[in-house]
Amino acid sequence: MKTKIQLPIIVAIAIASGMISGAFFSVHADVFQNKYKQAEQQAAYQVLKEESATVSVVENVSPAVVSVAVYQKVSNLYSSTGPFLFDFFGSTQIPQDDGELKLTGGGSGFIISSDGLVATNRHVVDDDNSSYRVVMSDGSEHDAQVLATDQILDFALLKIEGSEFPTVQLGDSDAIGRGR
């Protein structure tokens, strides 16, 4: 008999609590919606701010970013690859050495001093039989000399003749926070 009386009470309590919570959320729905919109706007602002920072960095360093062009004489290219490369691509004729340098590869780098010191990867400039040219963002080209290489760090320094080159500003790794 007690369970019959308890069931209507439980149902009444459930209905009442549903009505109370529904009334609460309908009264305060605009508060929750406004907080959601504010969070959404803050997130969009943060993305825009980060994109603007990226665009600003790219605009500032672009003049100092360079291409490193790798040139070889055809005879050097053939002696380093052997006939396999030419056979693989279906060429039955060994290219004639006309003494002219041919563009055979490249990479990128950036100017770190206004007197023409260029940082790049060692694997870009690791061939002693090649010649290297640095191509600036304005299209001008400069012969480059390899000053130093580090095989473990895959790092190389080149030197180009000239002065007043645009440079990248290097940061202080001790001054940045974790995860940056």
Side-chain angles (χ1 to χ4, degrees), residues 88-114:
F88 180 78
F89 289 107
S91 175
T92 57
Q93 233 178 5
I94 298 171
Q96 297 299 313
D97 183 9
D98 57 4
E100 189 177 330
L101 293 174
K102 306 287 184 189
L103 180 65
T104 58
S108 61
F110 51 92
I111 304 172
I112 59 174
S113 70
S114 62

Side-chain angles (χ1 to χ4, degrees), residues 149-161:
T149 62
D150 186 315
Q151 186 172 358
I152 294 172
L153 297 175
D154 192 29
F155 181 77
L157 286 175
L158 306 177
K159 177 72 168 106
I160 57 176
E161 292 300 319

Side-chain angles (χ1 to χ4, degrees), residues 25-42:
F25 284 114
S26 67
V27 169
H28 296 292
D30 60 332
V31 173
F32 293 118
Q33 227 173 12
N34 286 340
K35 286 189 179 194
Y36 175 76
K37 283 182 182 178
Q38 285 175 345
E40 193 176 55
Q41 288 172 345
Q42 284 177 331

